Amino acid sequence: MFSRRTFLSTSALLLAAGRPAAAAPGRCGERPWCDPGLPPDERAALLLREMTLQEKVSLLGGDELLGAIGGPDGHTGTGHGIERLGVPPVHYGDGPIGARQGEGTAMPATIALAAGFDRELAFRYGAAVANEIKCKGNDVVFGPTVDIARVPLAGRTFEGFGEDPYLTTRLSVPWIHGAHEEGLIVCVKHFAAYNQEGVLAVTGSRMTYDAVVDQRTLREVYLPPFEAAVREAGVGAVMGAYNKVNGQHACENQWLLNDVLKGEWGFRGYTIADYGATRRTGASLSNGLDFEPWPALVYSPAAISAALAAGSASTADVDDHAHRILRTMFAHGVFDRPPFPADDSLIDRDAHFALAARVAESGTTLLVNDGLLPLDAEALRGGRIAVVGDAADRFVQGGGSSSVTPFEVVTPRQGIEQRVGPDVTVDHHPGGDPRAAAEFARDADVAIVFAADLQSEFLDKPGLDVDAGLASFPPLDVGNPLVDQDAVVEAVVAANPNTVVVLETGGPVLTPWRDRVRALLEAWYPGANAGTALARVLFGDVDPGGRLPVTFPAREDDLPTAGDPERYPGVAERVHYSEGVFVGYRHYDEAGIEPAFPFGHGLSYTTFAYRDLRVHGRTVRASITNTGSRPGFAVPQLYLGVPSPSAQVRQPPKQLRGFRKVSLEPGETAEVLFELTERDLSYWDETTHSWRVAPGTVAVAVGESSRDIRLTAELQV
């Protein structure tokens, strides 16, 4: 299990104390502010006093115009240094899933990590991504993405941790700690209420939509991951979003940036605009934006000088922004170490490739199984496996700033061939023609059909069908966009009852054939080592470890936003979050809608018994026993149903407030412990502008998913 000692490592303690994490010879020299024994704020103040106004202004805008393309020789962004004063440049690198600068290890998508429900693995994932960003010569990693999956059609659903703020928070914090272990500044993104890309970049565009969100919903759903990143993980930077929030652009939003982030939460790092997200120079300067990385047009020296001359911002604003940037550089040791060399040979490719497989195994989610899985390689000796679908023979990933050019790839087809060896014939059909695919699979001992979607930054999916949106991305490797993958599944299942369906998707998709398949796996975007991981899961070398971090609806009409264009994609570029806190499974529970697969769902190759639920004060305990004949992963989940303080402030029937992942041998029992906090029992009171606990009876439930509750109790508050 993930130990407290791991979190509180030496460098993490040094960062929390505001001291440099590295003692190697630096670039600062013998100047007064170069003393690493001084607090970061004092060092920044000493340096700031020696700077001209022009030098301060130069710190607020970046360059590296072509870096956003992700070429091998360019950083995603670069902040100017000041050679005269020993201020080093700062290099920025994408992203949440791996390095986009040249080649890198393509990790499984963040949503696959979320499906693992594994804090330790989140730590290792963040450390690996940050290590490769560092080995590209960067000081800052743009990630993790902690935006909530409000609408599963959103193009960047794959890039986040799913629909639940608690799960997102509990996994993103160790991700950040892991990245801090590598000595990088972490830039969490995108602040805030950034939940859609837009339909055809015309309706509800991320560049123009205004998220109209009440305070309670912001506080309970969309802000908690950012708050934890600041208050628990000590993140050094926060990236502002493209959209407006309640009428003000996020990157010039006084309430978000100054009142909440820097004021209430005590954030001491610096804010960064997403690329092209800035609008007005004066409003950005006065309302809390510290740095514009690319292109530095709104924060160009000429634009800032004009804003100062017009009185829309002050030199005190410039001083504050420059101080925050310098203070963060001092706190994270940028001055006190040599520059990180850009050298791919420093990357432990084998270790990271193995980790990519481990994350994929942990996140692969078994949705349906009537006994077909795991496959028996010995029983298949001399037989034939029919692998169907072009996704089985290519690398599947999301598009945009989280796309990675992998060092190497093991495709699903290759992984299956390597696992079974020469004694089993593995044939492949691209799946373009349903009839041809059915005939190809008819006489096989087992058919495995792969179906993939594409999610991408810049564009939301037009629907939840697995094929929806594929034809919109002709420049990307998305296979044949004209194939009806649902029809292929239906045809192969009709021809061969021993059919396994494997989905490689960035989020929920419709599964109209789910009741007719014997086995269904959700593999998400499983990364560069997908084949190794999927073969191990298919053949039972490892238990499928995933649980759904998002609800799979039975129909698109069941979505919280369905049928209401004001909710999504918006009307006149105003998107009303009028569903409030009823996002994801909260909506399905409140409305009494049966999903295709509920939040938290995922099957094992063994079975578990839940017993002996005990609630003492704010401590909840339960015992989990592996009652099957195989080792496996149990993921007990704790849900609370807290009382509603009034008819106007309705609480969801249940909310995730704890989870554990335990590996159990047959017959083994583990006790799981959940410690509740005051915040776990609270709601945001819009009258007092504070967290409050409503007195009454709290329903305590422990189960295998949000709909598979095994144990219940009550807690009086």
Side-chain angles (χ1 to χ4, degrees), residues 33 40 48 81 154 181 191 205 216 267 299 347 356 418 468 505 518 568 598 615 645 671 681:
W33 51 87
L48 202 63
E181 287 286 292
F191 194 61
S205 167
R216 180 188 170 210
F267 177 59
Y299 270 16
I347 297 172
Q418 294 166 9
T505 66
R518 291 191 61 192
Y568 177 81
V615 180
E671 181 179 82
L681 303 168

Side-chain angles (χ1 to χ4, degrees), residues 390-450:
D390 80 309
D393 210 27
R394 62 182 175 89
F395 169 55
V396 176
Q397 67 170 336
S401 62
S402 284
S403 60
V404 178
T405 302
F407 287 131
E408 58 181 314
V409 169
V410 176
T411 67
R413 175 186 178 182
Q414 291 170 335
I416 293 168
E417 290 173 340
Q418 294 166 9
R419 174 62 180 80
V420 299
D423 294 330
V424 180
T425 299
V426 179
D427 293 329
H428 176 250
H429 188 282
D433 183 323
R435 288 186 181 180
E439 288 305 311
F440 170 81
R442 188 179 304 278
D443 297 327
D445 295 273
V446 175
I448 307 175
V449 181
F450 286 81

Side-chain angles (χ1 to χ4, degrees), residues 614-640:
R614 289 150 287 158
V615 180
H616 298 289
R618 294 185 180 173
T619 299
V620 179
R621 287 182 170 87
S623 295
I624 317 297
T625 301
N626 183 342
T627 55
S629 60
R630 301 174 58 93
F633 294 107
V635 186
Q637 301 155 39
L638 171 68
Y639 295 89
L640 299 183

Side-chain angles (χ1 to χ4, degrees), residues 95-113:
I97 294 171
R100 282 203 315 122
Q101 189 176 329
E103 295 181 339
T105 302
M107 299 294 287
T110 310
I111 199 165
L113 174 66

Side-chain angles (χ1 to χ4, degrees), residues 59-110:
L59 290 179
L60 310 190
D63 55 16
E64 201 89 24
L65 186 63
L66 299 180
I69 299 173
D73 301 320
H75 306 280
T76 306
T78 298
H80 300 290
I82 302 172
E83 186 175 358
R84 179 180 76 87
L85 299 172
V87 179
V90 176
H91 298 302
Y92 298 81
D94 275 330
I97 294 171
R100 282 203 315 122
Q101 189 176 329
E103 295 181 339
T105 302
M107 299 294 287
T110 310

